[in-house]
Amino acid sequence: MTGPDILKLIWPGPAPRRDQMPRFIRELSRSKLAVVGLCSAMAVVAMAVAAEWVPAYDAGRANIAERLRAPSLPAGAGGHVLGTDALGRDVLARVVRGARLSLVVGGAAAMVSAVLGVVLGLLAGYYGGRIDALIMRIADIQMAFPLILLAITVIAVLGPGLLKLIVVLGVSRWVAYARVVRGQVLVQRTLEFVLAARALGASDARILWRHVLPNVQTSIIVVTTFTFSSAILTESTLSFLGLGVQPSIPTWGRMLAEGREYLREAWWLTTFPGLALMAAVLGANALGDWLRDYLDPRLRL
Amino acid sequence: MWTYILQRLMQASLVLVGASAIAFGAIFLSGDPAPMLAGEGATRQEVEEIRQRMGFDRPIYVQYLEFARGALRGRMGISLRHNEPVFRLLAERLPATLELAVSATVFAVLLGLPVGILSAVRPGSIYDAGGMGGALLAQSLPVFWLGLMLILVAGSQLRWFPISGRGGVEHLVLPSVTLGTYFVARNARMVRSSMLEVLGQDYIRTARAKGLPEWRVIGRHALRNSLIPVVTLMGLDFGALLGGAVVVETVFAWPGVGRLMIQAIYVKDFPLVQGAVLMLAAGFVVINLLVDLTYAYLEPRARHGWDLSS
């Protein structure tokens, strides 16, 4: 018998998950906010996917003759459902394209900070001592510096760019992961299954990966939803200030910045990209709130 | 207590060193400033002369120490664009930023506390659902978009309030609401959860058992005790508010430090950017420090690093 097999005799692992999904859905449908969150999140994802099939008005194609057209129904035959911008570009097509960028930036940034934060949190919680002190001091310092200020400074100097943006947003958000993971690892490392694994000669890396990490994954999921929404918000703020990605990529933040010039004569330029942005953030936040209550009430602020 | 104060002071100075290193490093990475200062058409010799005169040829740590020493004395170099000392420019704009931050905080408290209290006193009621749903919505609103929508509706369509610049109280309304809305939600949620916890305590039951009227139980016994974490949160948020001010000032053309900084970024006026970042970060650090010390004074357990959230 190998180590993990013997462990299974002591603790057979989590209960079979067969009835998990129905309960998940039942609980979800009971919370109105969660349903609203799910719907708006799905709407945004649908936009990002649908961007593939909206070639009718290419998001980048300008047509000065059609500039600043008000939203009109029905679509087709030259009608623009959400109107056109100052260069005659279709607002709907651009909003839909913007969804894609927001999801990519938010997702990638959350992934970067999750990897960083989880690794550092595991190390700090498991080893304790100086490593813990060092990592948590760095976390304190990082938290004491406003995120938006950090992002603005770095992008202002390095110049705009998709990859730079993802790195900046990702690297600056690891602290939440590290804190949550560390707190749980501190508890877990004294529990029987970790002690047993260690007694059986499992390496630290194996203990952390196979025995500790699976038990903190629910918290990681919850933190990810909030990291995701905050990364999306910061991205659009930077884009709004002209410090986001390359000008060739349509983003909600840049659309809002452009629409700002025509606030009085073309309300649709600022209204629709903002609504889309709000839907994305609201979706992630509402789902995150609900997931926290559902998976792990201890995480409540 | 003194050990704690000393510890926090050390930590705060560490953060300031970090912030100044970021501000300095950012400018350093932005490229060689000597040709920029020399202006176009300068000969190589002139550029070299400037480099030596300004000390750009020295090792980087020497330059950093020089920069840090200057910053401590309020010398942050000369703005490339305005041709004036950075410190004076920032000092001129600071009151406007503080005015905005303070009035946004006042708004966040005046609206956030009642919403939170009402939600906690009647959990599960329509007030609770409305309050917390509204809070979730408010936390999901992009600040600059909220500003644009307020300008669109209350500023241009209804013409209730001026939409840009600084002036009387009426100029403060839209920017403060824009900046404060997110924090209304934060306060409301914090008050609610903290109050719900307090309302389950024995001394609340005792107060009720004594036959005190409910408003007195809530107002005197429950509210006071649930405010400690709220005050801490507000202190921490005031720093975040300074960051948010950068965006709001830009939307409403509010003449504060944040707008100055963004404008400086556009024209690559790096000494000014550097100074603004440093000033905002320092404000953030000092406020956090004050909050922590006040908290430690009110709640002695916090001095020993006990986790009070659990």
Side-chain angles (χ1 to χ4, degrees), chain B residues 144-274:
Chain B
F144 55 95
W145 185 58
L146 177 62
L148 291 178
M149 288 296 107
L150 285 176
I151 289 177
L152 191 63
V153 177
S156 338
Q157 299 287 326
L158 303 171
R159 295 182 187 278
W160 282 346
F161 299 106
I163 56 171
S164 81
R166 185 177 177 216
V169 183
E170 69 277 6
H171 280 87
L172 257 173
V173 175
L174 294 184
S176 310
V177 169
T178 304
L179 184 55
T181 296
Y182 177 81
F183 300 96
V184 169
R186 294 262 291 180
N187 285 343
R189 290 182 125 190
M190 193 68 191
V191 169
R192 178 180 181 270
S193 72
S194 157
M195 189 118 172
L196 275 177
E197 199 170 298
V198 169
L199 283 174
Q201 300 284 329
D202 286 342
Y203 57 83
I204 296 295
R205 204 173 34 184
T206 308
R208 284 194 177 129
K210 282 196 300 187
L212 288 182
E214 189 65 19
W215 61 265
R216 218 181 138 94
V217 175
I218 302 290
R220 260 193 95 89
H221 296 254
L223 187 59
R224 275 199 191 182
N225 286 295
S226 51
L227 277 186
I228 292 179
V230 179
V231 171
T232 315
L233 184 78
M234 271 164 39
L236 294 176
D237 277 352
F238 195 81
L241 220 79
L242 289 180
V246 173
V247 180
V248 175
E249 285 177 4
T250 305
V251 172
F252 289 97
W254 186 263
V257 176
R259 183 158 178 261
L260 188 67
M261 178 172 101
I262 297 294
Q263 287 171 334
I265 288 177
Y266 293 150
V267 297
K268 300 208 181 299
D269 185 351
F270 284 117
L272 189 51
V273 178
Q274 202 171 37

Side-chain angles (χ1 to χ4, degrees), chain A residues 16 29 88 96 102 107 126 131 162-163 168 174 179 190 206-207 223 230 251:
Chain A
S29 59
V96 163
S102 280
Y126 191 73
I131 298 180
L162 182 59
L163 205 62
V168 171
W174 62 278
R179 287 214 169 133
T190 61
R206 189 181 170 84
I207 293 175
V223 175
S230 110
T251 70

Side-chain angles (χ1 to χ4, degrees), chain A residues 189-221:
Chain A
R189 69 170 177 188
T190 61
L191 296 183
E192 280 85 354
F193 64 91
V194 171
L195 298 179
R198 192 178 299 151
L200 287 166
S203 65
D204 284 351
R206 189 181 170 84
I207 293 175
L208 285 173
W209 181 252
R210 295 283 308 235
H211 301 282
V212 174
L213 194 58
N215 286 299
V216 296
Q217 65 187 11
T218 51
S219 326
I220 296 175
I221 294 172

Side-chain angles (χ1 to χ4, degrees), chain A residues 33 137 140-141 143-146 148-150 152-154 156-158 226 233 236-238 240-243 252-253 256-257 260 263-264 267 270-275 277-278 281-283 285-286 289 292 300-301, chain B residues 11 14-15 19 22 26-27 29-30 132-133 136-137 139-142 144-145 148-149 151-152 156 159 163 189-190 192-193 233 239 243-244 246-247 250-252 261-262 265-266 268 270 277 280-281 284-285 288:
Chain A
L33 285 181
R137 281 299 82 73
D140 286 343
I141 292 178
M143 284 302 278
F145 203 85
I148 182 80
L149 212 54
L150 186 68
I152 288 178
T153 315
V154 175
V157 171
L158 298 182
F226 296 113
L233 264 183
S236 51
T237 304
L238 289 174
F240 178 72
L241 294 173
L243 300 168
W252 294 333
L256 287 169
R260 187 183 166 205
L263 204 52
R264 273 163 205 253
W267 55 270
T270 36
T271 305
F272 296 120
L275 278 176
L277 177 56
M278 194 184 73
V281 176
L282 181 72
N285 280 349
D289 270 353
R292 179 178 53 197
R300 206 168 241 283
L301 182 78
Chain B
Q11 197 191 330
L14 254 178
V15 174
I22 290 176
I27 307 317
L29 286 174
S30 68
M132 289 306 109
L136 186 67
L137 188 70
Q139 280 188 310
S140 307
L141 281 172
F144 55 95
W145 185 58
L148 291 178
M149 288 296 107
I151 289 177
L152 191 63
S156 338
R159 295 182 187 278
I163 56 171
R189 290 182 125 190
M190 193 68 191
R192 178 180 181 270
S193 72
L233 184 78
V246 173
V247 180
T250 305
V251 172
F252 289 97
M261 178 172 101
I262 297 294
I265 288 177
Y266 293 150
K268 300 208 181 299
F270 284 117
V277 168
L280 290 174
F284 191 76
V285 169
N288 277 0

Side-chain angles (χ1 to χ4, degrees), chain B residues 79-146:
Chain B
S79 157
L80 300 180
R81 176 155 189 233
H82 303 268
N83 218 357
E84 262 184 80
V86 166
F87 189 78
R88 192 194 301 160
L89 285 168
L90 291 173
E92 270 168 22
R93 304 294 191 98
L94 190 61
T97 297
L98 287 179
E99 183 183 297
L100 180 59
V102 168
S103 75
T105 306
V106 170
F107 171 67
V109 171
L110 286 185
L111 192 58
L113 286 197
V115 170
I117 295 171
L118 200 61
S119 295
V121 173
R122 303 256 179 280
S125 71
I126 185 146
Y127 304 112
D128 188 20
M132 289 306 109
L136 186 67
L137 188 70
Q139 280 188 310
S140 307
L141 281 172
V143 173
F144 55 95
W145 185 58
L146 177 62

